[in-house]
Amino acid sequence: MEKKITEFLEKAKQELATCNALKPLNDLRVKFLGKQGELTAFLRSMKDVPNEDKPKIGQLINKARQEVEEKINELQRKLEEKVLEEKLSRQKVDITEPSKVPEKGEIHPLHKVFDKLIDCCVEMGFTVVTGPEIEYDYYNFEALNVPKDHPARDMQDTFFISDNILMRSQTSSVQVHAMETMKPPFRIVSPGRTYRADSDATHSPVFHQFEGLVVDENISMIDLKSMLTNLLSMLFGENTKVRFRPSYFPFTEPSVEVDATCPSCGGKGCKLCKGTGFMELLGAGMVNPKVLEMSGIDSKKYTGFAFGPGVDRLAMVVNKIPDLRMMFENDIKFLEQLK
Ligand code: DAH
């Protein structure tokens, strides 16, 4: 027995001396010290040792266990250190490298224009309201004096969902909701998405409009002109000149097309304004009395004016973007450069 223990100890030391990784070291620990291990086998065979030899053999086994345990623990520490060192030498930290700055979010250029329009109008006493994007024909056309067979429908290549339900082609539909639900006097603006079957560099099937409506007693063309002149100079600066040209919309009478000094060249004439120095920005007019009456407003007592710029066009002008679609491609590098 004594010899066997000494031999075991020798063999264990030799095996540990050649062990150079943590996984095989753990296998050796199980092999030498585990429940089914060799030292436990010695303990089990103690019963066959004559009584007078038991203390001596017992001591021997304990010493062997202690020695093997110490060797294994020491080796484990060394191997763990080695692993850590290897890991650290692989992961070199270059403290001179610039750190990553977290990316900052930005408001989309289109929404910046919306925000500006809203700010200016709220300052002038307007209330912001919204309306549905899926709309009845009645609100989008009929109640705006555009009956079923009216030629003005052709200009608004409308997406119909059924005979009388459509994707709104203009935010003017919100005028009707406002007139139905609000009592004059009121002044509202309504930002939102609009839809038409149209797609090229200056048209997108989804686009954006900003509708305005004022209804009160004694509202005249003077109010329309002064309010819009004010709005455009708030948007583009005090020196902005505004031009009103006669136009036609079924829901306004008289109707105007409103131009402002080209924000790109300041009126000198450039490619963007085709040399005219002016940029066509919105449609407007005095609300057609028929439209007021259809929504239950007494047109003898009340008059009103309405206006509706295309917001995508404003954003294109402000940012000098040649193709409207670039704004919706979600190219962060491009969007970051815009105002
Ligand atoms: N809804 C018209 C369009 O989409 C724009 C417009 C013109 C709105 C005149 C108005 C207005 O409120 O008075 O072409």
Side-chain angles (χ1 to χ4, degrees):
M1 186 81 163
E2 229 181 299
K3 198 171 156 231
K4 272 190 189 164
I5 296 171
T6 325
E7 272 170 13
F8 159 76
L9 199 56
E10 275 312 304
K11 194 188 69 176
K13 280 185 192 164
Q14 271 172 19
E15 285 190 41
L16 285 172
T18 56
C19 174
N20 57 6
L22 283 165
K23 171 81 179 60
L25 178 64
N26 201 42
D27 295 343
L28 288 180
R29 186 195 291 276
V30 173
K31 182 177 161 199
F32 300 146
L33 308 171
K35 270 192 196 146
Q36 312 295 328
E38 293 175 28
L39 269 166
T40 319
F42 285 129
L43 283 174
R44 273 198 205 108
S45 51
M46 276 293 275
K47 61 181 185 315
D48 306 327
V49 175
N51 272 349
E52 65 271 25
D53 290 340
K54 270 188 179 142
K56 197 174 144 212
I57 300 293
Q59 250 182 10
L60 217 60
I61 296 175
N62 277 344
K63 243 187 92 201
R65 164 177 286 275
Q66 223 177 8
E67 211 170 315
V68 171
E69 251 173 17
E70 272 169 19
K71 282 249 171 318
I72 288 179
N73 288 346
E74 193 190 311
L75 192 54
Q76 170 147 5
R77 235 177 295 121
K78 277 191 189 151
L79 289 174
E80 278 173 354
E81 249 171 53
K82 206 173 108 193
V83 169
L84 184 68
E85 261 168 38
E86 272 171 15
K87 202 170 153 194
L88 288 177
S89 71
R90 256 184 285 120
Q91 297 179 338
K92 283 217 176 77
V93 177
D94 179 359
I95 55 162
T96 62
E97 208 171 85
S99 62
K100 273 193 191 150
V101 182
E103 276 184 51
K104 202 169 115 246
E106 269 282 341
I107 296 186
H108 193 278
L110 186 75
H111 283 271
K112 284 188 191 157
V113 176
F114 265 132
D115 287 348
K116 190 122 194 241
L117 281 166
I118 290 173
D119 283 352
C120 295
C121 291
V122 166
E123 206 176 307
M124 289 189 271
F126 283 77
T127 305
V128 182
V129 298
T130 53
E133 289 174 25
I134 296 174
E135 192 53 284
Y136 286 110
D137 185 295
Y138 177 81
Y139 288 92
N140 196 78
F141 289 130
E142 298 253 350
L144 289 165
N145 195 30
V146 188
K148 282 257 161 17
D149 52 2
H150 198 290
R153 285 196 181 213
D154 288 353
M155 288 193 304
Q156 305 200 0
D157 307 285
T158 311
F159 290 112
F160 275 91
I161 292 170
S162 70
D163 264 358
N164 70 335
I165 296 177
L166 46 79
M167 303 298 291
R168 71 174 176 195
S169 62
Q170 50 184 349
T171 45
S172 303
S173 54
V174 188
Q175 287 190 29
V176 183
H177 289 287
M179 287 187 285
E180 279 184 356
T181 52
M182 298 170 95
K183 269 201 157 53
F186 60 80
R187 42 178 83 188
I188 57 109
V189 283
S190 186
R193 266 191 288 268
T194 41
Y195 303 84
R196 286 183 205 178
D198 210 354
S199 182
D200 58 37
T202 53
H203 297 90
S204 150
V206 183
F207 60 109
H208 303 80
Q209 290 189 339
F210 186 78
E211 196 76 18
L213 173 68
V214 174
V215 179
D216 201 347
E217 288 177 44
N218 301 320
I219 293 289
S220 75
M221 198 78 181
I222 301 289
D223 300 300
L224 178 155
K225 285 183 80 174
S226 69
M227 188 260 151
L228 288 178
T229 306
N230 207 2
L231 177 65
L232 291 171
S233 61
M234 278 163 117
L235 283 179
F236 299 121
E238 285 200 356
N239 295 330
T240 307
K241 284 202 195 80
V242 183
R243 202 163 70 173
F244 294 81
R245 286 180 292 109
S247 186
Y248 171 76
F249 299 101
F251 36 91
T252 44
E253 183 58 39
S255 304
V256 287
E257 206 81 63
V258 187
D259 307 339
T261 317
C262 172
S264 179
C265 62
K268 287 192 204 88
C270 67
K271 236 165 99 184
L272 219 62
C273 61
K274 298 191 184 91
T276 63
F278 277 94
M279 195 75 95
E280 182 186 318
L281 293 177
L282 64 141
M286 298 305 296
V287 182
N288 191 321
K290 263 175 145 177
V291 170
L292 292 172
E293 291 291 340
M294 266 190 278
S295 290
I297 293 177
D298 180 358
S299 66
K300 297 225 170 47
K301 184 165 179 202
Y302 295 107
T303 47
F305 70 82
F307 57 96
V311 180
D312 313 84
R313 187 168 163 73
L314 284 180
M316 278 175 84
V317 170
V318 169
N319 292 293
K320 304 187 179 104
I321 304 169
D323 191 324
L324 164 90
R325 290 168 291 198
M326 293 165 88
M327 273 200 299
F328 305 122
E329 280 164 0
N330 290 338
D331 177 349
I332 303 281
K333 289 241 152 36
F334 169 73
L335 293 173
E336 266 174 353
Q337 298 167 31
L338 307 182
K339 283 186 214 163

PDB file of all heavy atoms in Angstrom, residues 156 169-172 175 196 207 209-212 249 251-252 255-256 282-286 305-309, ligand 1:
ATOM      1  N   GLN A 156     -56.663  66.430 -60.085  1.00  0.00           N
ATOM      2  CA  GLN A 156     -56.249  65.772 -58.848  1.00  0.00           C
ATOM      3  C   GLN A 156     -56.399  64.265 -59.024  1.00  0.00           C
ATOM      4  O   GLN A 156     -57.371  63.666 -58.573  1.00  0.00           O
ATOM      5  CB  GLN A 156     -57.103  66.272 -57.675  1.00  0.00           C
ATOM      6  CG  GLN A 156     -57.058  67.781 -57.546  1.00  0.00           C
ATOM      7  CD  GLN A 156     -57.465  68.288 -56.179  1.00  0.00           C
ATOM      8  OE1 GLN A 156     -57.799  67.513 -55.287  1.00  0.00           O
ATOM      9  NE2 GLN A 156     -57.407  69.584 -55.997  1.00  0.00           N
ATOM     10  N   SER A 169     -57.041  64.062 -51.628  1.00  0.00           N
ATOM     11  CA  SER A 169     -56.100  64.610 -52.606  1.00  0.00           C
ATOM     12  C   SER A 169     -55.708  66.035 -52.231  1.00  0.00           C
ATOM     13  O   SER A 169     -54.868  66.645 -52.867  1.00  0.00           O
ATOM     14  CB  SER A 169     -56.724  64.585 -53.993  1.00  0.00           C
ATOM     15  OG  SER A 169     -57.881  65.405 -54.007  1.00  0.00           O
ATOM     16  N   GLN A 170     -56.341  66.566 -51.200  1.00  0.00           N
ATOM     17  CA  GLN A 170     -56.019  67.928 -50.745  1.00  0.00           C
ATOM     18  C   GLN A 170     -56.471  68.081 -49.281  1.00  0.00           C
ATOM     19  O   GLN A 170     -57.471  67.481 -48.864  1.00  0.00           O
ATOM     20  CB  GLN A 170     -56.719  68.967 -51.613  1.00  0.00           C
ATOM     21  CG  GLN A 170     -58.204  68.720 -51.811  1.00  0.00           C
ATOM     22  CD  GLN A 170     -58.871  69.712 -52.768  1.00  0.00           C
ATOM     23  OE1 GLN A 170     -58.264  70.716 -53.144  1.00  0.00           O
ATOM     24  NE2 GLN A 170     -60.093  69.437 -53.160  1.00  0.00           N
ATOM     25  N   THR A 171     -55.720  68.876 -48.527  1.00  0.00           N
ATOM     26  CA  THR A 171     -56.137  69.109 -47.127  1.00  0.00           C
ATOM     27  C   THR A 171     -57.337  70.057 -47.050  1.00  0.00           C
ATOM     28  O   THR A 171     -57.873  70.290 -45.962  1.00  0.00           O
ATOM     29  CB  THR A 171     -54.974  69.681 -46.285  1.00  0.00           C
ATOM     30  OG1 THR A 171     -54.346  70.716 -47.031  1.00  0.00           O
ATOM     31  CG2 THR A 171     -53.959  68.623 -45.913  1.00  0.00           C
ATOM     32  N   SER A 172     -57.773  70.565 -48.208  1.00  0.00           N
ATOM     33  CA  SER A 172     -58.960  71.440 -48.213  1.00  0.00           C
ATOM     34  C   SER A 172     -60.168  70.726 -47.611  1.00  0.00           C
ATOM     35  O   SER A 172     -61.103  71.379 -47.125  1.00  0.00           O
ATOM     36  CB  SER A 172     -59.277  71.899 -49.636  1.00  0.00           C
ATOM     37  OG  SER A 172     -58.165  72.561 -50.188  1.00  0.00           O
ATOM     38  N   GLN A 175     -61.207  71.879 -44.282  1.00  0.00           N
ATOM     39  CA  GLN A 175     -62.043  73.101 -44.210  1.00  0.00           C
ATOM     40  C   GLN A 175     -63.492  72.726 -43.906  1.00  0.00           C
ATOM     41  O   GLN A 175     -64.158  73.349 -43.083  1.00  0.00           O
ATOM     42  CB  GLN A 175     -62.042  73.825 -45.560  1.00  0.00           C
ATOM     43  CG  GLN A 175     -60.771  74.550 -45.912  1.00  0.00           C
ATOM     44  CD  GLN A 175     -60.984  75.417 -47.157  1.00  0.00           C
ATOM     45  OE1 GLN A 175     -62.084  75.884 -47.427  1.00  0.00           O
ATOM     46  NE2 GLN A 175     -59.912  75.636 -47.904  1.00  0.00           N
ATOM     47  N   ARG A 196     -51.923  61.588 -54.447  1.00  0.00           N
ATOM     48  CA  ARG A 196     -52.366  61.649 -55.850  1.00  0.00           C
ATOM     49  C   ARG A 196     -51.542  60.668 -56.673  1.00  0.00           C
ATOM     50  O   ARG A 196     -50.357  60.447 -56.366  1.00  0.00           O
ATOM     51  CB  ARG A 196     -52.188  63.055 -56.435  1.00  0.00           C
ATOM     52  CG  ARG A 196     -53.227  64.029 -55.916  1.00  0.00           C
ATOM     53  CD  ARG A 196     -53.100  65.406 -56.552  1.00  0.00           C
ATOM     54  NE  ARG A 196     -53.673  66.402 -55.651  1.00  0.00           N
ATOM     55  CZ  ARG A 196     -53.697  67.700 -55.877  1.00  0.00           C
ATOM     56  NH1 ARG A 196     -53.181  68.188 -56.983  1.00  0.00           N
ATOM     57  NH2 ARG A 196     -54.239  68.520 -54.996  1.00  0.00           N
ATOM     58  N   PHE A 207     -47.755  63.336 -50.671  1.00  0.00           N
ATOM     59  CA  PHE A 207     -47.134  64.656 -50.518  1.00  0.00           C
ATOM     60  C   PHE A 207     -47.806  65.388 -49.360  1.00  0.00           C
ATOM     61  O   PHE A 207     -48.580  64.766 -48.618  1.00  0.00           O
ATOM     62  CB  PHE A 207     -47.177  65.445 -51.835  1.00  0.00           C
ATOM     63  CG  PHE A 207     -48.566  65.701 -52.370  1.00  0.00           C
ATOM     64  CD1 PHE A 207     -49.121  66.974 -52.338  1.00  0.00           C
ATOM     65  CD2 PHE A 207     -49.325  64.678 -52.908  1.00  0.00           C
ATOM     66  CE1 PHE A 207     -50.398  67.219 -52.830  1.00  0.00           C
ATOM     67  CE2 PHE A 207     -50.610  64.917 -53.403  1.00  0.00           C
ATOM     68  CZ  PHE A 207     -51.146  66.177 -53.361  1.00  0.00           C
ATOM     69  N   GLN A 209     -49.543  69.001 -47.544  1.00  0.00           N
ATOM     70  CA  GLN A 209     -50.130  70.328 -47.699  1.00  0.00           C
ATOM     71  C   GLN A 209     -50.384  70.959 -46.330  1.00  0.00           C
ATOM     72  O   GLN A 209     -50.361  70.279 -45.298  1.00  0.00           O
ATOM     73  CB  GLN A 209     -51.458  70.235 -48.460  1.00  0.00           C
ATOM     74  CG  GLN A 209     -51.302  69.868 -49.926  1.00  0.00           C
ATOM     75  CD  GLN A 209     -52.601  70.003 -50.714  1.00  0.00           C
ATOM     76  OE1 GLN A 209     -53.691  70.002 -50.144  1.00  0.00           O
ATOM     77  NE2 GLN A 209     -52.484  70.130 -52.023  1.00  0.00           N
ATOM     78  N   PHE A 210     -50.613  72.256 -46.372  1.00  0.00           N
ATOM     79  CA  PHE A 210     -50.889  73.006 -45.153  1.00  0.00           C
ATOM     80  C   PHE A 210     -52.072  73.898 -45.475  1.00  0.00           C
ATOM     81  O   PHE A 210     -51.984  74.792 -46.313  1.00  0.00           O
ATOM     82  CB  PHE A 210     -49.647  73.835 -44.806  1.00  0.00           C
ATOM     83  CG  PHE A 210     -49.737  74.552 -43.501  1.00  0.00           C
ATOM     84  CD1 PHE A 210     -49.531  73.880 -42.298  1.00  0.00           C
ATOM     85  CD2 PHE A 210     -50.001  75.922 -43.454  1.00  0.00           C
ATOM     86  CE1 PHE A 210     -49.591  74.553 -41.082  1.00  0.00           C
ATOM     87  CE2 PHE A 210     -50.056  76.599 -42.248  1.00  0.00           C
ATOM     88  CZ  PHE A 210     -49.850  75.910 -41.057  1.00  0.00           C
ATOM     89  N   GLU A 211     -53.198  73.606 -44.855  1.00  0.00           N
ATOM     90  CA  GLU A 211     -54.432  74.312 -45.207  1.00  0.00           C
ATOM     91  C   GLU A 211     -54.725  75.398 -44.184  1.00  0.00           C
ATOM     92  O   GLU A 211     -54.501  75.195 -42.986  1.00  0.00           O
ATOM     93  CB  GLU A 211     -55.580  73.287 -45.198  1.00  0.00           C
ATOM     94  CG  GLU A 211     -56.818  73.761 -45.887  1.00  0.00           C
ATOM     95  CD  GLU A 211     -56.683  73.714 -47.403  1.00  0.00           C
ATOM     96  OE1 GLU A 211     -55.785  73.010 -47.914  1.00  0.00           O
ATOM     97  OE2 GLU A 211     -57.471  74.408 -48.077  1.00  0.00           O
ATOM     98  N   GLY A 212     -55.238  76.501 -44.646  1.00  0.00           N
ATOM     99  CA  GLY A 212     -55.641  77.552 -43.713  1.00  0.00           C
ATOM    100  C   GLY A 212     -57.038  78.034 -44.043  1.00  0.00           C
ATOM    101  O   GLY A 212     -57.431  78.090 -45.226  1.00  0.00           O
ATOM    102  N   PHE A 249     -60.036  78.308 -58.425  1.00  0.00           N
ATOM    103  CA  PHE A 249     -60.311  77.099 -57.638  1.00  0.00           C
ATOM    104  C   PHE A 249     -61.821  77.073 -57.409  1.00  0.00           C
ATOM    105  O   PHE A 249     -62.412  78.131 -57.150  1.00  0.00           O
ATOM    106  CB  PHE A 249     -59.581  77.124 -56.286  1.00  0.00           C
ATOM    107  CG  PHE A 249     -58.084  77.188 -56.409  1.00  0.00           C
ATOM    108  CD1 PHE A 249     -57.406  78.393 -56.238  1.00  0.00           C
ATOM    109  CD2 PHE A 249     -57.342  76.047 -56.721  1.00  0.00           C
ATOM    110  CE1 PHE A 249     -56.033  78.462 -56.372  1.00  0.00           C
ATOM    111  CE2 PHE A 249     -55.959  76.116 -56.855  1.00  0.00           C
ATOM    112  CZ  PHE A 249     -55.302  77.322 -56.687  1.00  0.00           C
ATOM    113  N   PHE A 251     -63.560  76.177 -54.979  1.00  0.00           N
ATOM    114  CA  PHE A 251     -64.031  76.493 -53.621  1.00  0.00           C
ATOM    115  C   PHE A 251     -63.720  77.912 -53.185  1.00  0.00           C
ATOM    116  O   PHE A 251     -64.036  78.309 -52.074  1.00  0.00           O
ATOM    117  CB  PHE A 251     -63.482  75.481 -52.609  1.00  0.00           C
ATOM    118  CG  PHE A 251     -62.075  75.020 -52.919  1.00  0.00           C
ATOM    119  CD1 PHE A 251     -60.975  75.677 -52.408  1.00  0.00           C
ATOM    120  CD2 PHE A 251     -61.884  73.923 -53.745  1.00  0.00           C
ATOM    121  CE1 PHE A 251     -59.698  75.247 -52.705  1.00  0.00           C
ATOM    122  CE2 PHE A 251     -60.593  73.484 -54.053  1.00  0.00           C
ATOM    123  CZ  PHE A 251     -59.508  74.139 -53.547  1.00  0.00           C
ATOM    124  N   THR A 252     -63.039  78.703 -54.039  1.00  0.00           N
ATOM    125  CA  THR A 252     -62.788  80.111 -53.690  1.00  0.00           C
ATOM    126  C   THR A 252     -63.221  81.012 -54.849  1.00  0.00           C
ATOM    127  O   THR A 252     -63.130  80.634 -56.012  1.00  0.00           O
ATOM    128  CB  THR A 252     -61.290  80.353 -53.393  1.00  0.00           C
ATOM    129  OG1 THR A 252     -60.504  79.680 -54.376  1.00  0.00           O
ATOM    130  CG2 THR A 252     -60.909  79.860 -52.023  1.00  0.00           C
ATOM    131  N   SER A 255     -60.191  83.688 -56.763  1.00  0.00           N
ATOM    132  CA  SER A 255     -59.052  82.840 -56.375  1.00  0.00           C
ATOM    133  C   SER A 255     -57.754  83.504 -56.820  1.00  0.00           C
ATOM    134  O   SER A 255     -57.749  84.242 -57.813  1.00  0.00           O
ATOM    135  CB  SER A 255     -59.151  81.479 -57.062  1.00  0.00           C
ATOM    136  OG  SER A 255     -60.384  80.861 -56.767  1.00  0.00           O
ATOM    137  N   VAL A 256     -56.696  83.234 -56.068  1.00  0.00           N
ATOM    138  CA  VAL A 256     -55.383  83.785 -56.445  1.00  0.00           C
ATOM    139  C   VAL A 256     -54.303  82.714 -56.346  1.00  0.00           C
ATOM    140  O   VAL A 256     -54.439  81.723 -55.623  1.00  0.00           O
ATOM    141  CB  VAL A 256     -54.961  84.977 -55.533  1.00  0.00           C
ATOM    142  CG1 VAL A 256     -55.773  86.204 -55.845  1.00  0.00           C
ATOM    143  CG2 VAL A 256     -55.048  84.598 -54.064  1.00  0.00           C
ATOM    144  N   LEU A 282     -48.279  79.122 -53.426  1.00  0.00           N
ATOM    145  CA  LEU A 282     -49.545  78.596 -52.910  1.00  0.00           C
ATOM    146  C   LEU A 282     -50.762  79.145 -53.645  1.00  0.00           C
ATOM    147  O   LEU A 282     -50.687  80.149 -54.341  1.00  0.00           O
ATOM    148  CB  LEU A 282     -49.702  78.882 -51.404  1.00  0.00           C
ATOM    149  CG  LEU A 282     -49.785  80.323 -50.936  1.00  0.00           C
ATOM    150  CD1 LEU A 282     -50.803  80.452 -49.826  1.00  0.00           C
ATOM    151  CD2 LEU A 282     -48.449  80.792 -50.452  1.00  0.00           C
ATOM    152  N   GLY A 283     -51.876  78.419 -53.439  1.00  0.00           N
ATOM    153  CA  GLY A 283     -53.162  78.876 -53.937  1.00  0.00           C
ATOM    154  C   GLY A 283     -53.962  79.434 -52.772  1.00  0.00           C
ATOM    155  O   GLY A 283     -53.777  79.028 -51.628  1.00  0.00           O
ATOM    156  N   ALA A 284     -54.851  80.377 -53.059  1.00  0.00           N
ATOM    157  CA  ALA A 284     -55.665  80.970 -51.986  1.00  0.00           C
ATOM    158  C   ALA A 284     -56.892  81.636 -52.603  1.00  0.00           C
ATOM    159  O   ALA A 284     -57.059  81.649 -53.824  1.00  0.00           O
ATOM    160  CB  ALA A 284     -54.833  81.992 -51.215  1.00  0.00           C
ATOM    161  N   GLY A 285     -57.727  82.176 -51.753  1.00  0.00           N
ATOM    162  CA  GLY A 285     -58.894  82.895 -52.285  1.00  0.00           C
ATOM    163  C   GLY A 285     -59.926  83.161 -51.210  1.00  0.00           C
ATOM    164  O   GLY A 285     -59.777  82.735 -50.058  1.00  0.00           O
ATOM    165  N   MET A 286     -60.969  83.898 -51.616  1.00  0.00           N
ATOM    166  CA  MET A 286     -62.092  84.150 -50.707  1.00  0.00           C
ATOM    167  C   MET A 286     -63.016  82.944 -50.791  1.00  0.00           C
ATOM    168  O   MET A 286     -63.343  82.486 -51.901  1.00  0.00           O
ATOM    169  CB  MET A 286     -62.855  85.411 -51.145  1.00  0.00           C
ATOM    170  CG  MET A 286     -62.031  86.692 -51.112  1.00  0.00           C
ATOM    171  SD  MET A 286     -61.277  87.011 -49.508  1.00  0.00           S
ATOM    172  CE  MET A 286     -62.732  87.243 -48.498  1.00  0.00           C
ATOM    173  N   PHE A 305     -61.540  83.557 -45.901  1.00  0.00           N
ATOM    174  CA  PHE A 305     -60.529  83.269 -46.929  1.00  0.00           C
ATOM    175  C   PHE A 305     -59.816  81.970 -46.573  1.00  0.00           C
ATOM    176  O   PHE A 305     -59.834  81.527 -45.411  1.00  0.00           O
ATOM    177  CB  PHE A 305     -59.541  84.432 -47.127  1.00  0.00           C
ATOM    178  CG  PHE A 305     -58.568  84.680 -46.005  1.00  0.00           C
ATOM    179  CD1 PHE A 305     -57.397  83.928 -45.889  1.00  0.00           C
ATOM    180  CD2 PHE A 305     -58.795  85.698 -45.077  1.00  0.00           C
ATOM    181  CE1 PHE A 305     -56.489  84.175 -44.878  1.00  0.00           C
ATOM    182  CE2 PHE A 305     -57.889  85.960 -44.054  1.00  0.00           C
ATOM    183  CZ  PHE A 305     -56.734  85.181 -43.959  1.00  0.00           C
ATOM    184  N   ALA A 306     -59.241  81.353 -47.617  1.00  0.00           N
ATOM    185  CA  ALA A 306     -58.547  80.080 -47.415  1.00  0.00           C
ATOM    186  C   ALA A 306     -57.231  80.120 -48.176  1.00  0.00           C
ATOM    187  O   ALA A 306     -57.070  80.906 -49.115  1.00  0.00           O
ATOM    188  CB  ALA A 306     -59.411  78.935 -47.919  1.00  0.00           C
ATOM    189  N   PHE A 307     -56.303  79.299 -47.748  1.00  0.00           N
ATOM    190  CA  PHE A 307     -55.017  79.209 -48.467  1.00  0.00           C
ATOM    191  C   PHE A 307     -54.441  77.812 -48.287  1.00  0.00           C
ATOM    192  O   PHE A 307     -54.773  77.118 -47.322  1.00  0.00           O
ATOM    193  CB  PHE A 307     -54.030  80.275 -47.978  1.00  0.00           C
ATOM    194  CG  PHE A 307     -53.741  80.218 -46.497  1.00  0.00           C
ATOM    195  CD1 PHE A 307     -52.613  79.550 -46.012  1.00  0.00           C
ATOM    196  CD2 PHE A 307     -54.596  80.833 -45.578  1.00  0.00           C
ATOM    197  CE1 PHE A 307     -52.335  79.510 -44.648  1.00  0.00           C
ATOM    198  CE2 PHE A 307     -54.323  80.785 -44.202  1.00  0.00           C
ATOM    199  CZ  PHE A 307     -53.203  80.121 -43.744  1.00  0.00           C
ATOM    200  N   GLY A 308     -53.609  77.389 -49.241  1.00  0.00           N
ATOM    201  CA  GLY A 308     -53.078  76.025 -49.143  1.00  0.00           C
ATOM    202  C   GLY A 308     -51.767  75.827 -49.870  1.00  0.00           C
ATOM    203  O   GLY A 308     -51.757  75.471 -51.043  1.00  0.00           O
ATOM    204  N   PRO A 309     -50.630  76.066 -49.179  1.00  0.00           N
ATOM    205  CA  PRO A 309     -49.341  75.787 -49.819  1.00  0.00           C
ATOM    206  C   PRO A 309     -49.016  74.291 -49.842  1.00  0.00           C
ATOM    207  O   PRO A 309     -49.459  73.548 -48.968  1.00  0.00           O
ATOM    208  CB  PRO A 309     -48.323  76.526 -48.930  1.00  0.00           C
ATOM    209  CG  PRO A 309     -48.979  76.652 -47.609  1.00  0.00           C
ATOM    210  CD  PRO A 309     -50.470  76.643 -47.833  1.00  0.00           C
TER     211      PRO A 309
HETATM  212  N1  DAH B   1     -56.344  72.500 -52.436  1.00  0.00           N
HETATM  213  C1  DAH B   1     -55.673  73.189 -53.513  1.00  0.00           C
HETATM  214  C2  DAH B   1     -54.812  72.202 -54.278  1.00  0.00           C
HETATM  215  O1  DAH B   1     -54.530  71.149 -53.789  1.00  0.00           O
HETATM  216  C3  DAH B   1     -54.822  74.306 -52.971  1.00  0.00           C
HETATM  217  C4  DAH B   1     -55.661  75.437 -52.461  1.00  0.00           C
HETATM  218  C5  DAH B   1     -56.018  76.471 -53.282  1.00  0.00           C
HETATM  219  C6  DAH B   1     -56.078  75.453 -51.156  1.00  0.00           C
HETATM  220  C7  DAH B   1     -56.800  77.519 -52.854  1.00  0.00           C
HETATM  221  C8  DAH B   1     -56.872  76.508 -50.683  1.00  0.00           C
HETATM  222  C9  DAH B   1     -57.219  77.546 -51.560  1.00  0.00           C
HETATM  223  O2  DAH B   1     -57.316  76.576 -49.451  1.00  0.00           O
HETATM  224  O3  DAH B   1     -57.984  78.553 -51.103  1.00  0.00           O
HETATM  225  O4  DAH B   1     -54.438  72.496 -55.380  1.00  0.00           O
END
